[in-house]
Amino acid sequence: MKPITRKQEIITVASRLFNEKGYKAVSMRDIATAMDIKAASLYNHIKSKQEILSEIILKVAEEFTVGMENVLAENSSAIKKVEKVIELHIDITVNHSEALAALNNDWMHLEEIDLRSFVKMREDYEENFRSIIKQGIESGEIKPYHPEVILFSILSTLRTLYLWYQKRGKLDVNVLKKDMVSVLIKGIV
Amino acid sequence: MKPITRKQEIITVASRLFNEKGYKAVSMRDIATAMDIKAASLYNHIKSKQEILSEIILKVAEEFTVGMENVLAENSSAIKKVEKVIELHIDITVNHSEALAALNNDWMHLEEIDLRSFVKMREDYEENFRSIIKQGIESGEIKPYHPEVILFSILSTLRTLYLWYQKRGKLDVNVLKKDMVSVLIKGIV
DNA sequence: AATTCTAACTAACAAGCGTTAGTTTTGTTA
DNA sequence: TAACAAAACTAACGCTTGTTAGTTAGAATT
């Protein structure tokens, strides 16, 4: 099913360390020490430190992209779509909590091609979310506040969810979904 | 009024660079180059790189602390207090947009004493905000959602406001206050 | 039993880091 | 104009960084 390769182990350990101190503050020797090997040994499995960062960030970014595409493909109300987006964020937060720190704070350390790819995905994601909200306002499902403020408000909350999730010790997923949907949606309908 | 010392210039330039790439990714030589001098010259004005970070973060953290104390001292409803907190964040965002990046992402690179001081301030701040919300729920002003979820939702939005403020090109402060208060409050009353 | 593969190792590199010491330039005041 | 302080400079330090080269031990395959 999931053959835990040595490379994947490195990426997991690195995610944990990047989550704590950030990409630039973690050295290859830090990662190696955490795995009880020497820094040079890491290079039997990965090409560079950059590759680690890139795999962490782009894998999760693609999950967001695919998730958003699924939501858009649905034939349902705007509010239902917003609910689905919220659930998407919660699922990813629960499964990749530590990768989200890198995605949020270290994306600017990606190199050219990966950087462009990431920024594009993030812009598209925001634009798609924005269109859902606008659509909801037009149909009268969502209050006619400034769409940008609604987008920003919801997205800020969802993007920093991983910080709360880590602090409050692994809340139950379904309870989390129910509460988040309530608080985030009730304010705008 | 405000005698722009050379030290203050350094801190301003450093804030801008930290905002772009993070504390660890910015070298003293980067800061110096941005000021058209050599790295060693910086040390005529500051003690260490750490001091720069510490001044950036703690100065703003104290503004939050003082601001929250003023709100608590008021004799007004819970909702009014929440409004004041929102306005506090907006004012600080407008005046110290770039310092907020360091405060949000680089606080863990503070050294011992400053680190403890910062963490204490942040915990107290959250606790005070939490108590305002709880008080509002008890008095019936605020809907009886889980206070932690309300706290998290509002605080996430306010804490990442600087990112949007920078992107959307310096919005008008008063418009911002009105819209933010609407969207953030209307959902919970 | 011989070979190949995997994953570790040691040793070292060139570049960059924060910082210090000592010196020179610049601008203001006596 | 001489003296002084402020703020720049050059040169270097010890240390850490990401990474490479070459080697070795053990396991799997032929």
Side-chain angles (χ1 to χ4, degrees):
Chain A
M1 209 64 186
K2 40 179 172 180
I4 302 167
T5 65
R6 202 77 174 116
K7 176 172 176 175
Q8 196 50 61
E9 286 185 62
I10 293 173
I11 290 174
T12 303
V13 169
S15 294
R16 202 188 73 228
L17 297 179
F18 293 169
N19 180 58
E20 288 166 13
K21 316 199 297 169
Y23 175 72
K24 282 285 186 178
V26 174
S27 70
M28 295 303 278
R29 285 163 181 84
D30 290 335
I31 299 172
T33 300
M35 301 191 68
D36 257 314
I37 61 176
K38 293 295 156 84
S41 307
L42 294 169
Y43 289 82
N44 282 313
H45 309 282
I46 49 127
K47 278 197 286 293
S48 63
K49 193 187 177 192
Q50 264 291 320
E51 192 199 12
I52 301 178
L53 182 67
S54 150
E55 294 232 355
I56 292 173
I57 293 181
L58 290 185
K59 214 182 94 204
V60 178
E62 269 151 30
E63 277 198 48
F64 276 113
T65 299
V66 171
M68 178 58 87
E69 276 161 11
N70 290 338
V71 172
L72 290 177
E74 274 184 23
N75 197 334
S76 54
S77 68
I79 284 293
K80 197 77 203 168
K81 283 179 184 167
V82 174
E83 277 186 37
K84 288 286 179 190
V85 172
I86 294 173
E87 285 173 12
L88 171 63
H89 275 265
I90 292 177
D91 284 334
I92 293 179
T93 298
V94 169
N95 292 318
H96 310 285
S97 164
E98 282 162 347
L100 289 174
L103 185 134
N104 274 311
N105 303 319
D106 291 320
W107 59 268
M108 72 283 277
H109 300 123
L110 290 170
E111 55 191 13
E112 269 207 278
I113 310 164
D114 290 333
L115 179 61
R116 262 200 299 275
S117 168
F118 171 79
V119 171
K120 176 76 162 56
M121 279 197 266
R122 205 186 43 164
E123 283 170 354
D124 288 350
Y125 189 87
E126 281 185 23
E127 183 52 37
N128 285 330
F129 203 170
R130 187 179 291 113
S131 79
I132 293 176
I133 291 168
K134 282 181 178 171
Q135 178 195 322
I137 294 176
E138 276 174 31
S139 71
E141 296 171 76
I142 295 176
K143 287 184 190 167
Y145 295 141
H146 199 307
E148 209 60 35
V149 181
I150 296 178
L151 172 68
F152 154 59
S153 172
I154 296 181
L155 213 38
S156 293
T157 304
L158 296 177
R159 278 182 177 159
T160 48
L161 183 54
Y162 74 99
L163 290 171
W164 256 262
Y165 181 72
Q166 287 174 15
K167 199 162 56 173
R168 306 267 171 259
K170 319 289 167 183
L171 310 158
D172 179 81
V173 190
N174 290 317
V175 174
L176 199 57
K177 279 185 186 174
K178 201 170 136 290
D179 283 7
M180 286 303 295
V181 168
S182 293
V183 171
L184 292 182
I185 299 269
K186 291 264 172 65
I188 56 170
V189 293
Chain B
M1 209 63 188
K2 38 180 173 179
I4 301 167
T5 66
R6 201 79 172 114
K7 177 171 177 177
Q8 196 50 60
E9 285 186 63
I10 293 172
I11 290 174
T12 303
V13 169
S15 293
R16 201 188 73 227
L17 297 179
F18 293 169
N19 180 55
E20 286 166 13
K21 318 200 299 173
Y23 175 71
K24 283 283 186 180
V26 175
S27 71
M28 294 303 279
R29 286 165 180 83
D30 290 336
I31 299 172
T33 301
M35 302 191 65
D36 258 316
I37 59 176
K38 293 294 154 81
S41 308
L42 295 169
Y43 289 84
N44 284 313
H45 310 281
I46 49 126
K47 277 197 289 293
S48 63
K49 193 187 179 191
Q50 263 292 318
E51 192 199 14
I52 301 177
L53 182 69
S54 150
E55 294 232 356
I56 293 172
I57 293 181
L58 292 185
K59 211 182 97 207
V60 178
E62 269 151 31
E63 276 197 49
F64 276 115
T65 299
V66 171
M68 177 60 88
E69 275 161 12
N70 290 338
V71 171
L72 290 177
E74 274 183 25
N75 197 335
S76 54
S77 68
I79 283 294
K80 198 77 202 165
K81 283 179 183 164
V82 174
E83 278 186 34
K84 289 286 178 190
V85 172
I86 293 173
E87 286 174 11
L88 171 64
H89 275 264
I90 293 177
D91 284 335
I92 293 179
T93 298
V94 168
N95 291 318
H96 310 285
S97 163
E98 281 162 346
L100 289 174
L103 185 134
N104 275 311
N105 304 319
D106 291 320
W107 58 268
M108 72 284 276
H109 300 123
L110 290 170
E111 56 191 11
E112 268 206 281
I113 310 166
D114 291 333
L115 179 61
R116 262 200 299 276
S117 167
F118 171 79
V119 171
K120 176 76 161 57
M121 280 197 266
R122 204 185 44 163
E123 282 170 355
D124 288 350
Y125 188 87
E126 281 185 23
E127 183 53 37
N128 285 329
F129 203 170
R130 188 179 290 112
S131 79
I132 293 176
I133 291 169
K134 281 182 178 169
Q135 178 196 322
I137 294 177
E138 276 173 31
S139 70
E141 295 172 75
I142 295 176
K143 286 185 190 166
Y145 294 142
H146 198 307
E148 207 60 26
V149 181
I150 295 178
L151 172 68
F152 154 60
S153 172
I154 295 182
L155 215 36
S156 293
T157 304
L158 295 178
R159 279 181 176 159
T160 49
L161 183 53
Y162 74 99
L163 290 172
W164 296 74
Y165 181 71
Q166 286 174 15
K167 199 162 55 172
R168 304 269 171 257
K170 320 289 167 181
L171 308 160
D172 179 80
V173 190
N174 290 317
V175 174
L176 199 57
K177 278 184 184 173
K178 200 171 137 288
D179 283 9
M180 287 302 296
V181 168
S182 293
V183 171
L184 291 182
I185 299 269
K186 290 266 172 65
I188 57 170
V189 293

